[in-house]
mmCIF file of all heavy atoms in Angstrom:
data_model
loop_
_atom_site.group_PDB
_atom_site.id
_atom_site.type_symbol
_atom_site.label_atom_id
_atom_site.label_comp_id
_atom_site.label_asym_id
_atom_site.label_seq_id
_atom_site.Cartn_x
_atom_site.Cartn_y
_atom_site.Cartn_z
ATOM 1 N N VAL F 24 -12.983 -5.674 -14.052
ATOM 2 C CA VAL F 24 -13.892 -4.471 -14.202
ATOM 3 C C VAL F 24 -14.032 -4.185 -15.788
ATOM 4 O O VAL F 24 -15.304 -4.068 -16.134
ATOM 5 C CB VAL F 24 -13.256 -3.233 -13.560
ATOM 6 C CG1 VAL F 24 -14.072 -2.005 -13.891
ATOM 7 C CG2 VAL F 24 -13.137 -3.450 -12.101
ATOM 8 N N ALA F 25 -13.043 -4.230 -16.438
ATOM 9 C CA ALA F 25 -13.196 -3.813 -17.947
ATOM 10 C C ALA F 25 -11.980 -4.377 -18.607
ATOM 11 O O ALA F 25 -10.945 -4.458 -17.995
ATOM 12 C CB ALA F 25 -13.311 -2.377 -18.081
ATOM 13 N N HIS F 26 -12.115 -4.603 -19.884
ATOM 14 C CA HIS F 26 -10.959 -4.821 -20.674
ATOM 15 C C HIS F 26 -11.123 -4.336 -22.179
ATOM 16 O O HIS F 26 -12.154 -4.004 -22.639
ATOM 17 C CB HIS F 26 -10.724 -6.438 -20.858
ATOM 18 C CG HIS F 26 -11.621 -7.325 -21.593
ATOM 19 N ND1 HIS F 26 -12.753 -8.005 -20.983
ATOM 20 C CD2 HIS F 26 -11.732 -7.416 -22.894
ATOM 21 C CE1 HIS F 26 -13.379 -8.610 -21.863
ATOM 22 N NE2 HIS F 26 -12.783 -8.362 -23.146
ATOM 23 N N ILE F 27 -9.940 -4.198 -22.783
ATOM 24 C CA ILE F 27 -9.958 -3.519 -24.155
ATOM 25 C C ILE F 27 -8.999 -4.341 -24.923
ATOM 26 O O ILE F 27 -7.961 -4.788 -24.585
ATOM 27 C CB ILE F 27 -9.379 -2.095 -23.874
ATOM 28 C CG1 ILE F 27 -9.443 -1.405 -25.243
ATOM 29 C CG2 ILE F 27 -7.984 -2.100 -23.332
ATOM 30 C CD1 ILE F 27 -9.202 0.170 -25.114
ATOM 31 N N THR F 28 -9.410 -4.547 -26.230
ATOM 32 C CA THR F 28 -8.799 -5.282 -27.191
ATOM 33 C C THR F 28 -7.397 -4.676 -27.668
ATOM 34 O O THR F 28 -7.215 -3.487 -27.356
ATOM 35 C CB THR F 28 -9.529 -5.631 -28.448
ATOM 36 O OG1 THR F 28 -10.147 -4.550 -28.938
ATOM 37 C CG2 THR F 28 -10.742 -6.601 -27.904
ATOM 38 N N THR F 29 -6.597 -5.367 -28.396
ATOM 39 C CA THR F 29 -5.348 -4.868 -28.632
ATOM 40 C C THR F 29 -5.253 -3.460 -29.499
ATOM 41 O O THR F 29 -4.570 -2.696 -29.191
ATOM 42 C CB THR F 29 -4.540 -6.003 -29.494
ATOM 43 O OG1 THR F 29 -5.356 -6.280 -30.825
ATOM 44 C CG2 THR F 29 -4.186 -7.184 -28.745
ATOM 45 N N GLY F 30 -6.254 -3.385 -30.407
ATOM 46 C CA GLY F 30 -6.307 -2.203 -31.166
ATOM 47 C C GLY F 30 -7.088 -1.192 -30.590
ATOM 48 O O GLY F 30 -7.128 0.003 -31.031
ATOM 49 N N GLY F 31 -7.715 -1.432 -29.423
ATOM 50 C CA GLY F 31 -8.475 -0.369 -28.670
ATOM 51 C C GLY F 31 -9.805 -0.014 -29.286
ATOM 52 O O GLY F 31 -10.322 1.039 -28.815
ATOM 53 N N ASN F 32 -10.332 -0.815 -30.001
ATOM 54 C CA ASN F 32 -11.606 -0.532 -30.718
ATOM 55 C C ASN F 32 -12.716 -1.412 -30.148
ATOM 56 O O ASN F 32 -13.839 -1.290 -30.668
ATOM 57 C CB ASN F 32 -11.573 -0.614 -32.091
ATOM 58 C CG ASN F 32 -10.999 -1.940 -32.557
ATOM 59 O OD1 ASN F 32 -10.753 -2.770 -31.800
ATOM 60 N ND2 ASN F 32 -10.975 -2.081 -33.869
ATOM 61 N N SER F 33 -12.390 -2.235 -29.102
ATOM 62 C CA SER F 33 -13.588 -3.027 -28.582
ATOM 63 C C SER F 33 -13.393 -3.179 -27.073
ATOM 64 O O SER F 33 -12.296 -3.364 -26.609
ATOM 65 C CB SER F 33 -13.603 -4.477 -29.169
ATOM 66 O OG SER F 33 -14.625 -5.294 -28.695
ATOM 67 N N TYR F 34 -14.385 -2.935 -26.309
ATOM 68 C CA TYR F 34 -14.303 -2.938 -24.916
ATOM 69 C C TYR F 34 -15.393 -3.743 -24.225
ATOM 70 O O TYR F 34 -16.509 -3.932 -24.894
ATOM 71 C CB TYR F 34 -14.521 -1.480 -24.355
ATOM 72 C CG TYR F 34 -14.185 -0.453 -25.400
ATOM 73 C CD1 TYR F 34 -15.139 0.157 -26.066
ATOM 74 C CD2 TYR F 34 -12.844 0.059 -25.596
ATOM 75 C CE1 TYR F 34 -14.857 1.138 -27.003
ATOM 76 C CE2 TYR F 34 -12.573 1.122 -26.497
ATOM 77 C CZ TYR F 34 -13.608 1.557 -27.281
ATOM 78 O OH TYR F 34 -13.300 2.498 -28.180
ATOM 79 N N THR F 35 -15.218 -4.242 -23.044
ATOM 80 C CA THR F 35 -16.141 -4.974 -22.297
ATOM 81 C C THR F 35 -16.106 -4.477 -20.800
ATOM 82 O O THR F 35 -15.018 -4.182 -20.268
ATOM 83 C CB THR F 35 -15.901 -6.477 -22.331
ATOM 84 O OG1 THR F 35 -15.962 -6.907 -23.680
ATOM 85 C CG2 THR F 35 -17.024 -7.120 -21.511
ATOM 86 N N TYR F 36 -17.260 -4.282 -20.310
ATOM 87 C CA TYR F 36 -17.494 -3.757 -18.925
ATOM 88 C C TYR F 36 -18.440 -4.655 -18.044
ATOM 89 O O TYR F 36 -19.201 -5.318 -18.593
ATOM 90 C CB TYR F 36 -17.981 -2.289 -18.868
ATOM 91 C CG TYR F 36 -17.183 -1.326 -19.629
ATOM 92 C CD1 TYR F 36 -17.467 -1.040 -20.909
ATOM 93 C CD2 TYR F 36 -16.164 -0.702 -18.987
ATOM 94 C CE1 TYR F 36 -16.772 -0.193 -21.719
ATOM 95 C CE2 TYR F 36 -15.369 0.238 -19.706
ATOM 96 C CZ TYR F 36 -15.782 0.557 -21.123
ATOM 97 O OH TYR F 36 -15.007 1.481 -21.749
ATOM 98 N N ILE F 37 -18.071 -4.748 -16.834
ATOM 99 C CA ILE F 37 -19.099 -5.438 -15.942
ATOM 100 C C ILE F 37 -20.329 -4.441 -15.739
ATOM 101 O O ILE F 37 -20.238 -3.304 -16.019
ATOM 102 C CB ILE F 37 -18.454 -5.807 -14.526
ATOM 103 C CG1 ILE F 37 -17.945 -4.541 -13.869
ATOM 104 C CG2 ILE F 37 -17.370 -6.861 -14.657
ATOM 105 C CD1 ILE F 37 -17.535 -4.789 -12.352
ATOM 106 N N SER F 38 -21.322 -5.176 -15.516
ATOM 107 C CA SER F 38 -22.657 -4.373 -15.524
ATOM 108 C C SER F 38 -22.702 -3.221 -14.647
ATOM 109 O O SER F 38 -23.170 -2.157 -14.826
ATOM 110 C CB SER F 38 -23.774 -5.223 -15.325
ATOM 111 O OG SER F 38 -23.630 -6.024 -14.141
ATOM 112 N N SER F 39 -22.019 -3.380 -13.445
ATOM 113 C CA SER F 39 -22.143 -2.296 -12.413
ATOM 114 C C SER F 39 -21.417 -1.121 -12.805
ATOM 115 O O SER F 39 -21.670 -0.066 -12.188
ATOM 116 C CB SER F 39 -21.540 -2.897 -11.059
ATOM 117 O OG SER F 39 -20.248 -3.366 -11.238
ATOM 118 N N VAL F 40 -20.547 -1.113 -13.721
ATOM 119 C CA VAL F 40 -19.711 0.092 -14.131
ATOM 120 C C VAL F 40 -20.129 0.547 -15.550
ATOM 121 O O VAL F 40 -19.658 1.652 -16.000
ATOM 122 C CB VAL F 40 -18.250 -0.088 -13.946
ATOM 123 C CG1 VAL F 40 -17.898 -0.647 -12.684
ATOM 124 C CG2 VAL F 40 -17.670 -0.970 -15.144
ATOM 125 N N LYS F 41 -20.948 -0.197 -16.168
ATOM 126 C CA LYS F 41 -21.236 0.195 -17.708
ATOM 127 C C LYS F 41 -21.946 1.501 -17.570
ATOM 128 O O LYS F 41 -22.837 1.787 -16.892
ATOM 129 C CB LYS F 41 -22.219 -0.927 -18.201
ATOM 130 C CG LYS F 41 -22.201 -1.022 -19.681
ATOM 131 C CD LYS F 41 -22.891 -2.229 -20.246
ATOM 132 C CE LYS F 41 -22.147 -3.523 -19.838
ATOM 133 N NZ LYS F 41 -22.768 -4.708 -20.526
ATOM 134 N N GLY F 42 -21.561 2.327 -18.639
ATOM 135 C CA GLY F 42 -22.122 3.722 -18.772
ATOM 136 C C GLY F 42 -21.363 4.726 -17.798
ATOM 137 O O GLY F 42 -21.632 5.978 -17.994
ATOM 138 N N ARG F 43 -20.671 4.243 -16.853
ATOM 139 C CA ARG F 43 -19.904 5.166 -15.974
ATOM 140 C C ARG F 43 -18.399 5.239 -16.182
ATOM 141 O O ARG F 43 -17.707 6.244 -15.891
ATOM 142 C CB ARG F 43 -20.210 4.803 -14.564
ATOM 143 C CG ARG F 43 -21.617 4.932 -14.106
ATOM 144 C CD ARG F 43 -21.769 4.713 -12.532
ATOM 145 N NE ARG F 43 -21.392 3.261 -12.118
ATOM 146 C CZ ARG F 43 -20.367 3.185 -11.229
ATOM 147 N NH1 ARG F 43 -19.896 4.230 -10.729
ATOM 148 N NH2 ARG F 43 -20.246 2.012 -10.744
ATOM 149 N N PHE F 44 -17.798 4.014 -16.467
ATOM 150 C CA PHE F 44 -16.384 3.938 -16.585
ATOM 151 C C PHE F 44 -16.042 3.732 -18.150
ATOM 152 O O PHE F 44 -16.821 3.234 -18.946
ATOM 153 C CB PHE F 44 -15.960 2.578 -15.963
ATOM 154 C CG PHE F 44 -15.968 2.629 -14.513
ATOM 155 C CD1 PHE F 44 -16.574 3.671 -13.839
ATOM 156 C CD2 PHE F 44 -15.193 1.674 -13.735
ATOM 157 C CE1 PHE F 44 -16.468 3.664 -12.350
ATOM 158 C CE2 PHE F 44 -15.135 1.702 -12.378
ATOM 159 C CZ PHE F 44 -15.827 2.748 -11.682
ATOM 160 N N GLY F 45 -14.818 4.353 -18.518
ATOM 161 C CA GLY F 45 -14.358 4.175 -19.929
ATOM 162 C C GLY F 45 -12.825 3.672 -19.919
ATOM 163 O O GLY F 45 -12.056 4.276 -19.190
ATOM 164 N N ILE F 46 -12.690 2.640 -20.629
ATOM 165 C CA ILE F 46 -11.176 2.118 -20.790
ATOM 166 C C ILE F 46 -10.689 2.577 -22.015
ATOM 167 O O ILE F 46 -11.351 2.641 -23.048
ATOM 168 C CB ILE F 46 -11.209 0.562 -20.535
ATOM 169 C CG1 ILE F 46 -9.728 0.045 -20.391
ATOM 170 C CG2 ILE F 46 -11.993 -0.106 -21.600
ATOM 171 C CD1 ILE F 46 -9.673 -1.373 -20.012
ATOM 172 N N SER F 47 -9.424 2.802 -21.982
ATOM 173 C CA SER F 47 -8.620 3.348 -23.170
ATOM 174 C C SER F 47 -7.283 2.888 -23.207
ATOM 175 O O SER F 47 -6.794 2.572 -22.067
ATOM 176 C CB SER F 47 -8.749 4.817 -23.436
ATOM 177 O OG SER F 47 -8.214 5.426 -22.386
ATOM 178 N N ARG F 48 -6.536 2.912 -24.297
ATOM 179 C CA ARG F 48 -5.065 2.554 -24.220
ATOM 180 C C ARG F 48 -4.366 3.324 -25.302
ATOM 181 O O ARG F 48 -4.904 3.858 -26.235
ATOM 182 C CB ARG F 48 -5.065 1.105 -24.537
ATOM 183 C CG ARG F 48 -5.379 0.681 -25.918
ATOM 184 C CD ARG F 48 -5.457 -0.870 -26.125
ATOM 185 N NE ARG F 48 -3.998 -1.398 -25.978
ATOM 186 C CZ ARG F 48 -3.882 -2.796 -25.595
ATOM 187 N NH1 ARG F 48 -4.934 -3.539 -25.493
ATOM 188 N NH2 ARG F 48 -2.604 -3.135 -25.694
ATOM 189 N N ASP F 49 -3.023 3.430 -25.131
ATOM 190 C CA ASP F 49 -2.057 4.120 -25.965
ATOM 191 C C ASP F 49 -0.981 3.127 -26.248
ATOM 192 O O ASP F 49 -0.056 2.924 -25.258
ATOM 193 C CB ASP F 49 -1.608 5.464 -25.320
ATOM 194 C CG ASP F 49 -0.830 6.255 -26.258
ATOM 195 O OD1 ASP F 49 -0.188 5.762 -27.129
ATOM 196 O OD2 ASP F 49 -0.673 7.425 -26.131
ATOM 197 N N ASN F 50 -1.053 2.441 -27.313
ATOM 198 C CA ASN F 50 -0.033 1.531 -27.677
ATOM 199 C C ASN F 50 1.385 2.075 -27.910
ATOM 200 O O ASN F 50 2.445 1.463 -27.790
ATOM 201 C CB ASN F 50 -0.435 0.706 -28.795
ATOM 202 C CG ASN F 50 -1.598 -0.325 -28.399
ATOM 203 O OD1 ASN F 50 -1.758 -0.678 -27.269
ATOM 204 N ND2 ASN F 50 -2.228 -0.858 -29.568
ATOM 205 N N ALA F 51 1.439 3.474 -28.218
ATOM 206 C CA ALA F 51 2.685 4.147 -28.368
ATOM 207 C C ALA F 51 3.326 4.296 -27.121
ATOM 208 O O ALA F 51 4.630 4.417 -27.095
ATOM 209 C CB ALA F 51 2.470 5.372 -29.208
ATOM 210 N N LYS F 52 2.598 4.482 -26.042
ATOM 211 C CA LYS F 52 3.166 4.782 -24.732
ATOM 212 C C LYS F 52 3.050 3.563 -23.799
ATOM 213 O O LYS F 52 3.529 3.752 -22.664
ATOM 214 C CB LYS F 52 2.552 6.038 -24.123
ATOM 215 C CG LYS F 52 2.659 7.243 -24.914
ATOM 216 C CD LYS F 52 1.941 8.362 -24.250
ATOM 217 C CE LYS F 52 2.251 9.656 -24.970
ATOM 218 N NZ LYS F 52 1.552 10.857 -24.499
ATOM 219 N N ASN F 53 2.460 2.442 -24.229
ATOM 220 C CA ASN F 53 2.285 1.266 -23.342
ATOM 221 C C ASN F 53 1.604 1.676 -21.997
ATOM 222 O O ASN F 53 1.974 1.240 -20.891
ATOM 223 C CB ASN F 53 3.617 0.783 -22.978
ATOM 224 C CG ASN F 53 4.413 -0.090 -24.057
ATOM 225 O OD1 ASN F 53 3.874 0.010 -25.215
ATOM 226 N ND2 ASN F 53 5.394 -0.809 -23.803
ATOM 227 N N THR F 54 0.494 2.330 -22.346
ATOM 228 C CA THR F 54 -0.296 2.832 -21.075
ATOM 229 C C THR F 54 -1.772 2.364 -21.390
ATOM 230 O O THR F 54 -2.200 2.299 -22.589
ATOM 231 C CB THR F 54 -0.268 4.246 -20.907
ATOM 232 O OG1 THR F 54 -0.540 4.925 -22.036
ATOM 233 C CG2 THR F 54 1.067 4.743 -20.451
ATOM 234 N N VAL F 55 -2.497 2.107 -20.309
ATOM 235 C CA VAL F 55 -3.985 1.842 -20.358
ATOM 236 C C VAL F 55 -4.627 2.725 -19.159
ATOM 237 O O VAL F 55 -3.895 2.928 -18.097
ATOM 238 C CB VAL F 55 -4.238 0.262 -20.122
ATOM 239 C CG1 VAL F 55 -3.645 -0.223 -18.828
ATOM 240 C CG2 VAL F 55 -5.668 0.032 -20.358
ATOM 241 N N HIS F 56 -5.713 3.211 -19.474
ATOM 242 C CA HIS F 56 -6.324 4.185 -18.583
ATOM 243 C C HIS F 56 -7.773 3.658 -18.297
ATOM 244 O O HIS F 56 -8.393 3.073 -19.014
ATOM 245 C CB HIS F 56 -6.428 5.629 -19.291
ATOM 246 C CG HIS F 56 -5.029 6.001 -19.726
ATOM 247 N ND1 HIS F 56 -4.200 6.512 -18.864
ATOM 248 C CD2 HIS F 56 -4.525 6.092 -20.919
ATOM 249 C CE1 HIS F 56 -3.109 6.953 -19.527
ATOM 250 N NE2 HIS F 56 -3.256 6.560 -20.779
ATOM 251 N N LEU F 57 -8.261 4.268 -17.167
ATOM 252 C CA LEU F 57 -9.630 3.974 -16.730
ATOM 253 C C LEU F 57 -10.347 5.319 -16.285
ATOM 254 O O LEU F 57 -9.896 5.692 -15.268
ATOM 255 C CB LEU F 57 -9.778 2.809 -15.659
ATOM 256 C CG LEU F 57 -11.160 2.439 -15.412
ATOM 257 C CD1 LEU F 57 -11.750 1.698 -16.468
ATOM 258 C CD2 LEU F 57 -11.169 1.522 -14.090
ATOM 259 N N GLN F 58 -11.201 5.791 -17.066
ATOM 260 C CA GLN F 58 -11.921 6.899 -16.708
ATOM 261 C C GLN F 58 -13.054 6.482 -15.902
ATOM 262 O O GLN F 58 -13.941 5.750 -16.374
ATOM 263 C CB GLN F 58 -12.201 7.729 -17.914
ATOM 264 C CG GLN F 58 -13.306 8.972 -17.620
ATOM 265 C CD GLN F 58 -12.567 10.061 -16.901
ATOM 266 O OE1 GLN F 58 -11.361 10.370 -17.248
ATOM 267 N NE2 GLN F 58 -13.233 10.639 -15.805
ATOM 268 N N MET F 59 -13.262 7.064 -14.656
ATOM 269 C CA MET F 59 -14.293 6.675 -13.807
ATOM 270 C C MET F 59 -15.170 7.845 -13.414
ATOM 271 O O MET F 59 -14.688 8.735 -12.810
ATOM 272 C CB MET F 59 -13.752 6.049 -12.545
ATOM 273 C CG MET F 59 -12.743 4.862 -12.811
ATOM 274 S SD MET F 59 -12.327 3.858 -11.313
ATOM 275 C CE MET F 59 -11.364 5.176 -10.533
ATOM 276 N N ASN F 60 -16.422 7.785 -13.805
ATOM 277 C CA ASN F 60 -17.286 8.885 -13.433
ATOM 278 C C ASN F 60 -18.490 8.405 -12.571
ATOM 279 O O ASN F 60 -18.680 7.181 -12.504
ATOM 280 C CB ASN F 60 -17.909 9.402 -14.869
ATOM 281 C CG ASN F 60 -16.900 10.015 -15.797
ATOM 282 O OD1 ASN F 60 -15.937 10.601 -15.374
ATOM 283 N ND2 ASN F 60 -16.950 9.571 -17.128
#
């Protein structure tokens, strides 16, 4: 669906979710999130 690079500053989405979903990560907490609108 989406991926995010190690530093969290580059993202890629499949076309069907582009503009609706947002991926983010917190390297301090070892977590990755997907905001879906």
